Amino acid sequence: MIVDTESRLIAAHGGELVDRTGDRPDDLEALEAVTLTSRELSDLDMLASGALSPLEGFMGSEDYESVLEAMRLAGGLPWALPVCLSVDEAPAGERVALTDAAGKPYAVLEVEQVFDYDKEREAQQSFRTTDEAHPGVARLYEQKPRYLSGRVTVFERAQPTFPELALDPAETRAAFAERGWRRVVGFQTRNPIHRAHEYLTKVALETVDGLLIHPLVGDTKSDDVPAQTRVDCYRVLLDGYYPSDRVLLSAFPAAMRYAGPREAVWHAICRKNYGCSHFIVGRDHAGVGDYYGTYDAQLIFDEFEPHELDIEPMFFEHSFWCRTCGSMASAKTCPHPADEHVFLSGTKVREILASGELPPEEFSRPEVAEVLIEAYRRA
Ligand SMILES: [Zn+2]
């Protein structure tokens, strides 16, 4: 592990944590404005905070091509997904203002390049499919036709959905260092945490100093559980079942891309920037529908030499309560037949909760189930 000498935590991807925040320029009013989508705005804010280190702006064609073809930046550093800004045409000036849909400016971009791209090719390389029923592909196909690249300086940070959970990479790193953690495992989630995921976060925590529960709170599909409900679930779970001095809950501001395997690598690299030395990769990480094989998001890590990513992926099986073992287990650790396992499909869980009943305690902590039942009642 390459270590940041001051904090003794893992070093940021590429060595230095990037900071692209800066002052609002005096000539802002005179600059041409480029409107960003909500996904591009969340990427912009992650560029500002260094969550996307070593990137300092939206990608140029060399990095873009190299990422699509080889999962590396042009300089050779591993990188799994494009971080690009789409535009209709090349701006006239050397700098542009980046705004949201309402016209509010957030940043200035120093124009480096405007280039054409092939949406179907990007879809195939990033998402392994060109099917427009895939939510990530659909969003890509809606983009403007060209990419604008350049370094950004962000003077207005995005309004966080959960201000009390908004920690930049420098802040999570400071929190880890303050607690004396050196080895920290990151857990990405966009779902409420039931017993199965509680189990694997705790198995991981047994081997390291601390756990960062890092739910994604940027854009998700409309049928995912709303972020507010999920955050309420995490709070009651942490209050009741995790030691507070070993766990940090913070929000990951990224938008979901649903790129499966490549997004798993991308998620790991981002968490490295937040100071995590380890990262949990479950089955079908960042997947959607049946576009990806169950273990594709784990196998993709074999395409890198272990030292290249530096952050250590921790692979997990699906876990469950086994009545014979009398404990949580997985196919790796339990020899008993499936009818000994307490397993509920997502559909079944939703049915139980919607009817106002508690799922079995072996499946879900009652406090978490209560939050979900209440959310169903309100909906
Ligand atoms: Zn068993």
Side-chain angles (χ1 to χ4, degrees):
M1 177 165 106
I2 300 169
V3 171
D4 173 73
T5 41
E6 211 169 298
S7 66
R8 315 253 292 151
L9 293 161
I10 193 169
H13 198 49
E16 293 289 331
L17 193 63
V18 167
D19 177 1
R20 293 308 306 162
T21 58
D23 294 331
R24 178 184 292 256
D26 295 334
D27 63 346
L28 185 64
E29 300 298 319
L31 298 179
E32 183 179 337
V34 170
T35 308
L36 273 60
T37 64
S38 63
R39 199 270 296 154
E40 289 161 350
L41 275 169
S42 78
D43 285 355
L44 176 69
D45 200 62
M46 290 172 69
L47 288 166
S49 72
L52 301 182
S53 300
L55 300 189
E56 298 191 326
F58 290 100
M59 280 181 182
S61 61
E62 253 190 279
D63 280 335
Y64 174 76
E65 289 296 327
S66 175
V67 165
L68 287 192
E69 290 304 320
M71 279 204 295
R72 287 166 192 284
L73 297 171
L77 196 68
W79 194 269
L81 289 169
V83 175
C84 292
L85 172 56
S86 68
V87 291
D88 283 315
E89 48 201 306
E94 289 174 358
R95 290 153 69 240
V96 293
L98 305 182
T99 75
D100 65 12
K104 180 182 176 185
Y106 286 78
V108 166
L109 176 142
E110 300 155 36
V111 176
E112 275 161 25
Q113 202 186 7
V114 176
F115 59 99
D116 294 315
Y117 67 105
D118 178 339
K119 292 181 179 180
E120 288 209 353
R121 176 165 162 264
E122 181 177 328
Q124 187 59 49
Q125 295 299 106
S126 293
F127 298 103
R128 301 189 178 183
T129 175
T130 56
D131 182 1
E132 54 196 271
H134 183 293
V137 174
R139 194 158 51 182
L140 169 59
Y141 287 179
E142 284 167 11
Q143 283 182 178
K144 292 169 186 163
R146 312 182 78 190
Y147 280 145
L148 167 63
S149 76
R151 210 156 71 128
V152 295
T153 304
V154 177
F155 49 78
E156 180 76 40
R157 295 295 305 275
Q159 207 58 43
T161 323
F162 302 95
E164 72 286 9
L165 296 183
L167 295 178
D168 282 342
E171 293 169 319
T172 52
R173 285 172 170 275
F176 299 164
E178 193 187 304
R179 295 167 184 214
W181 299 352
R182 290 197 59 197
R183 291 149 49 87
V184 183
V185 62
F187 179 60
Q188 146 75 30
T189 177
R190 61 176 207 269
N191 288 303
I193 300 180
H194 296 296
R195 294 290 300 271
H197 286 121
E198 177 187 335
Y199 171 71
L200 56 90
T201 57
K202 286 181 172 176
V203 169
L205 179 54
E206 291 288 0
T207 70
V208 295
D209 306 320
L211 166 67
L212 174 65
I213 295 190
H214 216 203
L216 182 144
V217 298
D219 288 357
T220 57
K221 294 186 278 105
S222 53
D223 59 339
D224 283 348
V225 177
Q228 181 62 61
T229 304
R230 288 189 285 122
V231 167
D232 293 344
C233 287
Y234 305 139
R235 287 192 196 285
V236 293
L237 183 68
L238 263 58
D239 283 350
Y241 299 94
Y242 286 80
S244 57
D245 59 343
R246 289 278 169 206
V247 184
L248 182 67
L249 172 67
S250 176
F252 182 51
M256 203 55 213
R257 286 162 158 83
Y258 301 99
R262 277 197 182 229
E263 193 161 6
V265 173
W266 194 75
H267 278 163
I269 291 172
C270 294
R271 271 35 178 258
K272 176 182 169 186
N273 288 328
Y274 281 90
C276 295
S277 56
H278 292 70
F279 183 64
I280 292 171
V281 183
R283 288 162 42 126
D284 200 23
H285 185 107
V288 61
D290 53 5
Y291 291 99
Y292 308 109
T294 306
Y295 297 104
D296 286 356
Q298 301 184 350
L299 293 170
I300 195 170
F301 284 86
D302 291 342
E303 296 183 31
F304 301 99
E305 298 299 323
H307 65 272
E308 288 190 304
L309 289 170
D310 213 17
I311 187 167
E312 187 76 39
M314 301 177 92
F315 302 132
F316 284 92
E317 285 282 332
H318 177 70
S319 61
F320 42 75
W321 179 270
C322 172
R323 294 189 186 95
T324 312
C325 290
S327 65
M328 295 299 296
S330 77
K332 260 186 180 168
T333 53
C334 159
H336 306 115
D339 55 9
E340 287 302 296
H341 303 159
V342 178
F343 174 79
L344 302 175
S345 69
T347 315
K348 184 72 192 163
V349 180
R350 279 191 292 275
E351 272 175 32
I352 295 175
L353 295 169
S355 72
E357 283 172 50
L358 290 178
E361 273 199 59
E362 296 87 353
F363 181 84
S364 190
R365 300 290 187 188
E367 295 87 344
V368 173
E370 294 286 2
V371 170
L372 291 169
I373 289 170
E374 185 52 37
Y376 272 100
R377 235 176 246 147
R378 282 197 308 267

